Amino acid sequence: MENKRIMLLAETGVAVALSAVLGMVNLYRMPQGGSISLEMLPILILAVRWGGVPGMITGLVYGFVQLIIDAYVVHPVQFLLDYPAAYMLVGLAGFIRIKDIEDKKSSYVRIAGAVLLGGCGRFLAHLITGVIFFGSYAPEGQNPWIYSFIYNISYIIPSIIISYIIIIPLVKPLFKYK
Amino acid sequence: MLRNINIGQYIARDSIIHKLDARIKIIITILMITALFFIDSFKGYFLFLLAVLFIIYLSQISFMRIIRGLRPVLFLVLLTLILHIFFTRGGEVIWQWRFITIEKNGLITGLFMVSRILLLIMFTSLLTLTTSPLQLTDGIESLLRPLKRFGIPASELAMMMTIALRFIPTLLEEADKIMKAQMARGADFESGNIIRRSKNLIPLLVPLFISAFRRADDLALAMESRCYHGGEGRTKLHELKVKTQDFIALFISILFSILVSFF
């Protein structure tokens, strides 16, 4: 039992480091400032390997590490939502269980569901921050929900698609390696 | 032998600000950025700016370094300014050209919001510039400790953060090594559209992930054989200690944030 806990602790730490490394590589910089990167990937993999709660813990830790490494704080509530909360919700992916990795059809669909769930969780957190940001900085009379939705969806969807493309070849070797 | 990779923005100096307790610095930062939202005049912002400049002076960090930290938010700042200038109405008309009019209130609120964003970023970057990632981790752990009662494992979270911070340079180097090895075999990481490029990353990512999880395995084994058993009863080499100067700093910033909120 103890062994498993330490194993999880070490894996989470290393997965967070991987996320930070992948976060430094920008695949594509959006003109409006967001960027598409693979930082969700290690969190998703840990979530798929260990389940929802460990996945969420990994995301939470990554959020804190991001806060320490390079955070941009524009609002007292924004930094909690944008960093710890957003990545914690990526860990939701782990609540979709992949039973049999050899059964390609069902596991591909389940992995897609997991990636989508994690991505949507993160999207939700960023959506709310966007609304808070626009609500307190943008002129009145503009609908903050639409702005925030368009801005955030523009990089979340590509991130989800790319994470899915890459997670497929990664899941199998990592699943067996346990 | 190893390349010196700096993670985070920490700049080591021997200043009063650097020596303050990490927890106190986190609390002060949260206090000050909250106070910033209660300021509703340029006079208040000016006072705040003076305080920021004074702290920068005390911390011995070059002013240009702080300015450079503002670059990533440039787009945000410009967008906010432009939106306000063109969409916030009221006051006398300053400039008019066909259907575009700029009114006084727009310009003023725009500048007001921009000063707020810039001051926020300056103040928060002071925290990460003067406090090392490990000190910050210790600080966060200590601040989260009261939440243990609600089942939040503060010391385990801090341990994971420490492991992560320790492994970021290692994995960066590993990624670099694998990248070069795959490029020698003809891998191409730079051309093609975004889908093509992310597919091309697979030969880099599979070995990187496998080796990273293998490292985690070794680490867990090493921790277990050294009898790691979670946070209960663990001691530290460098305990965080709140000293007199920390109390003074906290006291001054509480006073300042109350004072400045009235402007």
Side-chain angles (χ1 to χ4, degrees):
Chain A
M1 198 57 221
E2 187 71 356
N3 180 18
K4 222 165 180 185
R5 231 176 49 122
I6 295 177
M7 190 71 229
L8 175 62
L9 198 93
E11 263 190 32
T12 303
V14 172
V16 170
L18 264 177
S19 275
V21 168
L22 293 180
M24 292 175 195
V25 186
N26 279 320
L27 281 177
Y28 184 73
R29 234 175 218 300
M30 311 277 271
Q32 70 276 40
S35 65
I36 300 173
S37 62
L38 295 168
E39 54 197 339
M40 288 198 290
L41 206 59
I43 305 171
L44 289 169
I45 285 180
L46 203 113
V48 169
R49 260 167 81 86
W50 289 85
V53 176
M56 288 175 81
I57 292 175
T58 312
L60 181 72
V61 174
Y62 178 62
F64 277 126
V65 168
Q66 271 297 311
L67 264 182
I68 290 178
I69 295 179
D70 71 332
Y72 283 96
V73 178
V74 290
H75 194 283
V77 183
Q78 168 261 352
F79 82 93
L80 282 179
L81 274 173
D82 246 0
Y83 295 96
Y87 292 106
M88 192 167 99
L89 292 174
V90 174
L92 285 177
F95 288 110
I96 295 185
R97 278 272 171 223
I98 289 139
K99 287 175 201 132
D100 183 15
I101 197 72
E102 295 302 333
D103 179 5
K104 273 195 174 163
K105 241 186 193 162
S106 95
S107 60
Y108 279 16
V109 173
R110 278 168 180 277
I111 292 169
V115 174
L116 199 65
L117 187 64
C120 287
R122 182 179 164 200
F123 171 70
L124 203 71
H126 288 317
L127 179 74
I128 298 171
T129 354
V131 172
I132 292 174
F133 177 78
F134 280 112
S136 57
Y137 288 100
E140 282 172 37
Q142 316 263 331
N143 188 341
W145 289 92
I146 295 174
Y147 279 86
S148 179
F149 187 85
I150 293 172
Y151 170 70
N152 286 306
I153 204 91
S154 67
Y155 65 89
I156 281 285
I157 288 187
S159 294
I160 290 175
I161 295 172
I162 291 166
S163 298
Y164 183 65
I165 294 175
I166 297 184
I167 206 170
I168 291 289
L170 275 172
V171 158
K172 211 173 157 185
L174 286 173
F175 224 83
K176 286 191 172 161
Y177 180 80
K178 205 169 194 177
Chain B
M1 188 178 83
L2 295 176
R3 270 175 310 147
N4 196 8
I5 310 165
N6 260 329
I7 48 165
Q9 308 170 298
Y10 178 62
I11 300 174
R13 289 277 187 284
D14 189 29
S15 80
I16 314 173
I17 305 291
H18 283 71
K19 280 185 197 136
L20 286 180
D21 187 283
R23 289 167 293 183
I24 298 291
K25 277 193 269 191
I26 296 173
I27 294 172
I28 289 177
T29 307
I30 294 174
L31 192 74
M32 292 293 261
I33 63 176
T34 316
L36 203 52
F37 275 77
F38 286 101
I39 301 177
D40 44 19
S41 74
F42 278 109
K43 250 186 276 167
Y45 282 164
F46 183 68
L47 265 183
F48 200 95
L49 179 69
L50 285 183
V52 170
L53 291 177
F54 183 61
I55 298 171
I56 294 174
Y57 168 73
L58 285 182
S59 69
Q60 300 173 11
I61 284 169
S62 83
F63 187 66
M64 285 319 287
R65 183 66 191 70
I66 308 266
I67 297 296
R68 246 186 294 147
L70 296 175
R71 213 185 298 157
V73 285
L74 203 65
F75 177 80
L76 205 69
V77 165
L78 286 178
L79 181 78
T80 313
L81 190 63
I82 289 168
L83 277 178
H84 274 288
I85 285 181
F86 290 115
F87 292 109
T88 302
R89 293 273 154 255
E92 53 193 279
V93 175
I94 296 177
W95 187 73
Q96 192 163 23
W97 181 74
R98 301 213 184 153
F99 56 91
I100 303 173
T101 48
I102 295 177
E103 287 168 13
K104 200 176 168 199
N105 282 8
L107 190 66
I108 287 177
T109 3
L111 287 174
F112 194 74
M113 292 300 167
V114 164
S115 341
R116 184 192 281 173
I117 298 179
L118 291 178
L119 285 174
L120 265 173
I121 307 267
M122 279 167 105
F123 203 89
T124 48
S125 66
L126 266 176
L127 176 68
T128 45
L129 282 167
T130 62
T131 324
S132 74
L134 283 179
Q135 278 177 317
L136 279 173
T137 308
D138 276 355
I140 292 176
E141 174 187 2
S142 161
L143 289 174
L144 287 180
R145 210 171 285 155
L147 296 178
K148 249 187 193 155
R149 244 169 271 168
F150 306 107
I152 293 179
S155 43
E156 272 85 354
L157 286 181
M159 179 51 108
M160 291 175 201
M161 283 170 73
T162 315
I163 294 173
L165 290 170
R166 158 68 183 77
F167 275 95
I168 291 171
T170 315
L171 292 180
L172 264 177
E173 197 164 334
E174 184 102 1
D176 190 54
K177 217 191 268 169
I178 298 171
M179 213 162 174
K180 285 192 180 128
Q182 299 290 36
M183 272 155 80
R185 297 184 179 91
D188 173 15
F189 294 113
E190 259 133 39
S191 58
N193 64 9
I194 180 163
I195 300 280
R196 182 82 249 148
R197 258 192 1 223
S198 31
K199 269 193 181 155
N200 287 348
L201 281 179
I202 292 173
L204 164 66
L205 292 178
V206 173
L208 182 65
F209 272 68
I210 299 275
S211 96
F213 281 99
R214 217 166 262 162
R215 275 177 199 278
D217 237 3
D218 292 344
L219 179 66
L221 197 65
M223 281 166 83
E224 207 185 0
S225 52
R226 283 168 181 77
C227 298
Y228 175 81
H229 55 83
E232 222 49 57
R234 252 176 90 82
T235 53
K236 281 213 175 81
L237 180 58
H238 302 287
E239 281 296 341
L240 287 177
K241 248 197 214 133
V242 181
K243 291 176 283 256
T244 328
Q245 69 237 44
D246 297 312
F247 281 116
I248 296 173
L250 187 62
F251 182 68
I252 294 175
S253 51
I254 291 175
L255 268 187
F256 180 78
S257 49
I258 292 172
L259 177 92
V260 92
S261 308
F262 285 113
F263 279 93

